[in-house]
Amino acid sequence: MSFPRIIMHIDMNSYFASVEQQANPALRGKPVGVVATMTPHGCIIASSKEAKAVGIKTGCRVDEAFFLYPAVRLVQVDPPKYRSTTEKIFSILQRYSEDIEPYSIDEAFVNLTGYAKSFNEAVRIGHEIKRQIFTEAGEWLTNSIGIAPTRWLAKFGSDICEKGGIIVLHKEDVRRYLAGRELTEAWGIAERTAYKLNCLGITTLDELAAYSPYELQRVFGIRGYELWANVNGVEVSSLRLADNGYQVPKSIGHSHVLRKQTRNITFHRAVMMRLAERTGRKLRSLGLRANGIFAHAGLHEGGHTGESRKLDRPIEGGEEIFRLSWGMVEKSIRLSAPSFLSLGVFRLSPDTGQRSLLPTVENTVLSRALDAINDRFGEETIVRGTLFGLEGDHAPDRVGFRKTVEPDSRGLLAAYKEEQRESRDISYEKSE
Amino acid sequence: MLVETLQEPIRVVCDFDKEKVRPLAFLRAGRRYDIKRVNLIYRKRLGTRFVWCFAVSDGANTYGLTYDPETLLWSLTEIQVEG
Ligand SMILES: [Mg+2]
């Protein structure tokens, strides 16, 4: 007997502010801004739905918030409150599936395949989850739930869903939901990608869905196919929610947008080296090895370059990641200045401790020793020669991306930090 | 709204139910405050261990009570006065 593939994505609404309103009933129904510091130039890092209604959004400055709504209530951010409440909410989700993927401090994917026999049953489970969050985590906490056959559609569903609601997106009528929607409304499409799609004459999500996947792949590489597949209800991330859980991420990588246009190849080498070091470190910290590698560069004069390669021998070291990925982009970026650099590894598997019989460039023991020192004394206390002399603000850590969650190594604090980092990322993109 | 954070040992009347813990009232400066609602219970890391925080209301104001499971002591850690 086979079950339909059913993925649920749950997204808590105005999470930090709602938890504060939960803790203090006097704040309920009022515009509330959560701030890191109470200073006038401080930033609102989360706002309640009432605050959003008067125009106070995430990223708004404290003095602007007072201008928009003089009676706005500001509260100091209190991460333990949110973390602890998230733990409670995720423990509720675990009653319905063993396959949960926490995506951020207030979002998670729940693989209901096999747990719910139909979409109707998934909706019933959604209502049950809401009720249990209401009674066990807090009556003021609401969420939006998207239910769909793919991970991407489930998240898209919870994004477009009314606050507090449940939406089911069937593959058959996905075009109807996409019709006329802005590209940037979609998960994973930022201004930059939207601009490039505009150049192809694609301005809405339904136009993207109707476009030729081959043409998209020609322009964007494998990511082009992913863009197309996402909006057409084709799962491109089967490994992320595998039948046996979410133990292994699908890919790990880092990218960096270059702030200044330069043809200085030594500089680009150093940026790639740093990205490779980080990727290698992450890989080792998760106890994984990779059998695939990709590298991409966006070019200032337009277009992309890069490639993706499967390997018959696993890699794990930053040095090796650098050597291979550098080879993939070097030629092109010697000819044309890059606008961004990106690299990553895929085909990941647990490191069994067996070393390849072939001679490896990297000394694994050395890498681990470097990790230990850097863990203890801070990032990049010890770096490789190529990194030496590269200023700290190039390839900052915040651009790290991962394609799924590492359940053990990534605590909620890390999730919280990442959220913080992502919010800065957004403003960074906009300022370009 | 006035927010005060403090660290004041406090006497608490608490019901350890079979499945949950519920502070019922606390005494401070000779006055008894009856807890009408427990709004949020959460854990907070304190060095290497955890303490439990209770955000409670007495009908007028909101208070933060903290229970340390190691020392078995309660303290008043926050007062939010409305008005
Ligand atoms: Mg949310």
Side-chain angles (χ1 to χ4, degrees):
Chain A
M1 180 167 179
S2 80
F3 293 105
R5 192 180 152 82
I6 304 175
I7 309 296
M8 172 187 281
H9 180 260
I10 179 165
D11 183 355
M12 300 304 295
N13 305 137
S14 304
Y15 187 56
F16 291 3
S18 296
V19 174
E20 292 297 345
Q21 290 174 317
Q22 177 63 42
N24 184 356
L27 298 174
R28 296 181 194 177
K30 293 176 185 155
V32 173
V34 177
V35 294
T37 54
M38 291 285 184
T39 55
H41 294 278
C43 238
I44 307 275
I45 58 177
S47 48
S48 69
K49 59 175 187 288
E50 300 84 0
K52 286 171 188 160
V54 297
I56 301 172
K57 300 194 170 71
T58 301
C60 184
R61 264 171 39 179
V62 166
D63 51 0
E64 288 168 349
F66 278 119
F67 177 77
L68 288 164
Y69 194 85
V72 63
R73 310 282 291 260
L74 299 181
V75 289
Q76 189 96 29
V77 67
D78 188 9
K81 258 188 207 141
Y82 322 136
R83 272 204 296 279
S84 198
T85 306
T86 298
E87 280 171 19
K88 181 82 222 173
I89 293 166
F90 286 0
S91 78
I92 291 170
L93 300 180
Q94 272 157 2
R95 294 170 193 165
Y96 296 93
S97 169
E98 284 175 20
D99 195 356
I100 311 284
E101 180 192 327
Y103 184 72
S104 73
I105 195 160
D106 74 328
E107 284 177 61
F109 290 96
V110 184
N111 187 355
L112 291 176
T113 309
Y115 295 95
K117 284 162 204 70
S118 65
F119 280 85
N120 283 343
E121 195 183 342
V123 171
R124 192 183 56 69
I125 289 174
H127 284 296
E128 233 171 79
I129 287 172
K130 281 177 191 288
R131 201 164 51 244
Q132 292 182 14
I133 289 174
F134 181 92
T135 53
E136 295 176 43
E139 71 276 12
W140 195 257
L141 305 177
T142 62
N143 53 71
S144 304
I145 289 179
I147 298 168
T150 68
R151 204 169 164 273
W152 190 92
L153 282 179
K155 179 154 166 66
F156 179 69
S158 74
D159 283 349
I160 64 170
C161 178
E162 56 168 327
K163 299 291 170 225
I166 298 183
I167 199 169
V168 179
L169 259 57
H170 290 287
K171 198 179 161 177
E172 301 80 64
D173 47 23
V174 57
R175 292 276 171 95
R176 195 157 54 81
Y177 292 107
L178 299 174
R181 285 192 185 271
E182 298 259 342
L183 294 170
T184 48
E185 275 187 74
W187 174 31
I189 301 184
E191 299 289 344
R192 184 176 286 270
T193 307
Y195 172 76
K196 286 184 187 138
L197 289 168
N198 289 344
C199 296
L200 297 174
I202 303 168
T203 57
T204 61
L205 289 173
D206 51 321
E207 285 169 7
L208 176 62
Y211 207 80
S212 154
Y214 307 104
E215 183 63 13
L216 287 167
Q217 196 166 349
R218 196 184 62 74
V219 178
F220 291 94
I222 189 71
R223 165 142 173 74
Y225 174 74
E226 201 171 305
L227 287 169
W228 178 89
N230 282 340
V231 290
N232 279 282
V234 176
E235 186 61 272
V236 287
S237 55
S238 55
L239 261 181
R240 293 172 202 170
L241 281 168
D243 291 338
N244 59 352
Y246 51 91
Q247 295 303 313
V248 177
K250 188 164 188 195
S251 68
I252 294 171
H254 281 86
S255 62
H256 177 62
V257 177
L258 291 131
R259 287 172 202 176
K260 56 180 181 200
Q261 185 170 347
T262 170
R263 307 265 309 250
N264 182 346
I265 204 77
T266 316
F267 174 74
H268 299 143
R269 259 181 80 94
V271 171
M272 285 293 277
M273 186 81 198
R274 179 176 285 210
L275 298 175
E277 277 293 339
R278 284 203 186 125
T279 303
R281 257 194 99 189
K282 186 81 207 173
L283 198 56
R284 284 189 296 278
S285 76
L286 295 172
L288 297 172
R289 298 190 303 177
N291 274 75
I293 185 163
F294 65 85
H296 286 284
L299 304 175
H300 264 292
E301 56 193 40
H304 271 246
T305 182
E307 88 182 78
S308 164
R309 195 188 301 159
K310 289 179 184 172
L311 303 167
D312 46 20
R313 184 172 63 78
I315 43 168
E316 70 160 42
E319 182 77 44
E320 200 173 5
I321 294 170
F322 167 72
R323 192 172 50 78
L324 292 166
S325 57
W326 181 243
M328 292 171 170
V329 294
E330 184 186 2
K331 229 178 182 169
S332 307
I333 64 176
R334 274 186 189 279
L335 297 170
S336 169
S339 56
F340 75 86
L341 294 166
S342 145
L343 63 84
V345 290
F346 60 96
R347 295 179 86 204
L348 308 178
S349 58
D351 187 351
T352 53
Q354 288 179 328
R355 295 271 77 84
S356 169
L357 292 174
L358 295 165
T360 50
V361 175
E362 182 93 26
N363 183 333
T364 310
V365 178
L366 173 65
S367 292
R368 296 217 163 112
L370 289 177
D371 286 353
I373 292 166
N374 286 330
D375 280 344
R376 178 131 181 221
F377 298 105
E379 195 70 48
E380 284 159 16
T381 303
I382 291 196
V383 296
R384 290 173 196 283
T386 319
L387 281 183
F388 189 72
L390 184 63
E391 283 166 47
D393 62 357
H394 290 294
D397 208 19
R398 62 163 182 247
V399 288
F401 63 85
R402 56 159 232 304
K403 291 287 168 76
T404 190
V405 151
E406 310 87 47
D408 296 321
S409 64
R410 178 167 176 268
L412 284 166
L413 178 62
Y416 170 71
K417 281 186 182 153
E418 183 163 312
E419 169 130 334
Q420 297 279 71
R421 210 154 58 207
E422 275 172 5
S423 52
R424 274 208 298 275
D425 248 359
I426 293 162
S427 57
Y428 178 62
E429 276 226 346
K430 276 183 187 156
S431 67
E432 274 184 324
Chain B
M1 182 177 65
L2 206 96
V3 185
E4 189 188 341
T5 56
L6 60 170
Q7 189 59 249
E8 184 182 314
I10 203 167
R11 191 165 170 182
V12 173
V13 182
C14 185
D15 176 14
F16 284 81
D17 191 355
K18 267 172 258 167
E19 45 197 39
K20 57 182 193 296
V21 182
R22 212 190 123 78
L24 301 173
F26 63 92
L27 292 104
R28 188 187 187 222
R31 226 196 102 185
R32 176 186 168 122
Y33 297 78
D34 284 311
I35 294 167
K36 296 253 165 60
R37 295 168 41 94
V38 178
N39 306 311
L40 189 73
I41 303 175
Y42 58 100
R43 285 194 318 172
K44 193 176 229 158
R45 190 182 277 280
L46 206 80
T48 54
R49 63 182 208 276
F50 283 101
V51 293
W52 285 95
C53 303
F54 296 74
V56 303
S57 302
D58 67 348
N61 304 314
T62 303
Y63 305 89
L65 305 178
T66 300
Y67 178 67
D68 185 334
E70 194 166 296
T71 60
L72 307 181
L73 294 176
W74 285 86
S75 47
L76 180 65
T77 44
E78 192 176 273
I79 307 174
Q80 300 202 18
V81 181
E82 279 309 304

